[in-house]
Amino acid sequence: MRVSVFGLGYVGCVSAACLASMGHEVIGVDVNQVKVDLVNDGKAPVVEEGIGELVAEVVRSGALRATGDVREAIVGRDVSLICVGTPSEPNGSLCTTYLERVTEEIGAALAERGGRHTVVFRSTMLPGTCLNLLVPILEKYVGGTAGVDVGVAVNPEFLREGTSVRDFFDPPKTVIGELDPASGDVVEELYDGLPGEVFRVPVPTAEAIKYADNAFHGLKIGFANELGAVCRALGVDSHQVIDVFLADRKLNISPAYLRPGFA
Ligand SMILES: NC(=O)c1ccc[n+]([C@@H]2O[C@H](COP(=O)([O-])OP(=O)(O)OC[C@H]3O[C@@H](n4cnc5c(N)ncnc54)[C@H](O)[C@@H]3O)[C@@H](O)[C@H]2O)c1
């Protein structure tokens, strides 16, 4: 497929290089010219195991290049992956400014171009952001209806910094929030051949799954740290405690206590 990737940070750079190595023709887009130049020189703008070699290889083969020009990135492309940042505001709320800006830019470029294109949001965003905030922007700029004239999907990313290339090729799951079945088909085709179960769900469900995952991972880290502190205070070997805790796959590392049930 002919793919554009918006945002060449951790998620975008890894997605662009890995998709290019799977045989897709990829163009990366970033507002930061330094990142664009680095990619075109065959260098990764992020530090990750294996990413330097991968970017060098796919740029050399012509499967990946980068640009700062949105129109150039949209012409003749089937699908755009949006991987721009969604940092926290000082009050803890989600900053959607970059998502809104890139949606406007893509919508305007699509209005000039015509033909169906699928916009896939990979950035982490609160449930409702895609349908209530981004889809109306896209429809306004495209001058059409999402799900008919332009495809829309939410495809959260589950990679970890440090092992992101490995995680891309061996994902725990693939989650596709689809506005319409044709949009979901495009995303599923993109990852064809990767292991892991594929879940096709409504758009807000996909957004919520990412938050459930992030919250649970934070909960686990907090729990492990607290347990370690308590054990240390009691003179108990916390590593031994956690090893035995983890060995219990019936009640501990399992779905037990995570669904409603008998008191
Ligand atoms: N880093 C992770 O481990 C990770 C994992 C899963 C999900 N996520 C989510 O993925 C998203 C991206 O995260 P990241 O860590 O890659 O962010 P990042 O800050 O490393 O990269 C974001 C990039 O987007 C670019 N950008 C901003 N506006 C743009 C525009 N209009 N057009 C093109 N490029 C633009 C920025 O210049 C930057 O290079 C966030 O929503 C994040 O929460 C991150």
Side-chain angles (χ1 to χ4, degrees):
M1 297 170 84
R2 289 168 57 81
V3 185
S4 30
V5 175
F6 286 79
L8 292 171
Y10 272 92
V11 171
C13 178
V14 170
S15 301
C18 293
L19 286 169
S21 78
M22 287 172 73
H24 298 293
E25 195 185 310
V26 183
I27 185 163
V29 192
D30 207 292
V31 288
N32 183 333
Q33 190 61 38
V34 175
K35 294 190 182 185
V36 170
D37 292 342
L38 277 169
V39 170
N40 285 330
D41 286 345
K43 297 184 184 123
V46 296
V47 180
E48 279 289 291
E49 195 185 316
I51 192 71
E53 297 82 340
L54 197 61
V55 169
E57 188 187 310
V58 290
V59 169
R60 203 180 316 115
S61 75
L64 173 65
R65 68 187 175 87
T67 180
D69 185 338
V70 177
R71 282 181 181 76
E72 182 194 344
I74 289 292
V75 175
R77 300 279 147 177
D78 310 303
V79 53
S80 292
L81 301 187
I82 314 304
C83 307
V84 300
T86 48
S88 299
E89 299 282 18
N91 69 359
S93 67
L94 185 79
C95 169
T96 55
T97 309
Y98 306 115
L99 278 171
E100 292 171 56
R101 189 71 31 79
V102 80
T103 305
E104 290 169 8
E105 289 169 352
I106 291 172
L110 287 174
E112 285 177 14
R113 193 200 84 149
R116 185 159 158 135
H117 179 96
T118 302
V119 181
V120 181
F121 294 98
R122 302 211 84 198
S123 302
T124 303
M125 49 187 168
L126 283 165
T129 307
C130 180
L131 295 188
N132 300 335
L133 178 69
L134 303 175
V135 161
I137 293 174
L138 195 60
E139 289 182 328
K140 178 178 152 199
Y141 279 80
V142 169
T145 306
V148 179
D149 304 303
V150 57
V152 172
V154 165
N155 168 225
E157 171 57 66
F158 299 104
L159 60 76
R160 294 163 294 175
E161 286 182 23
T163 54
S164 57
V165 174
R166 228 179 320 137
D167 290 347
F168 182 94
F169 289 115
D170 188 17
K173 59 187 174 273
T174 297
V175 175
I176 303 169
E178 56 189 13
L179 191 63
D180 59 302
S183 300
D185 290 346
V186 168
V187 184
E188 194 160 350
E189 193 186 333
L190 202 57
Y191 299 114
D192 188 33
L194 289 185
E197 201 169 338
V198 176
F199 298 91
R200 292 179 63 156
V201 296
V203 165
T205 306
E207 294 168 313
I209 288 167
K210 177 64 183 165
Y211 270 84
D213 281 37
N214 278 3
F216 192 57
H217 300 161
L219 178 76
K220 287 168 78 173
I221 293 166
F223 176 78
N225 285 344
E226 288 299 315
L227 190 67
V230 169
C231 286
R232 190 166 52 246
L234 295 171
V236 172
D237 179 355
S238 63
H239 292 273
Q240 198 168 27
V241 171
I242 207 81
D243 283 346
V244 177
F245 172 84
L246 291 173
D248 179 344
R249 306 221 160 221
K250 285 196 176 136
L251 299 183
N252 294 346
I253 308 306
S254 75
Y257 307 117
L258 288 172
R259 291 196 182 104
F262 182 65

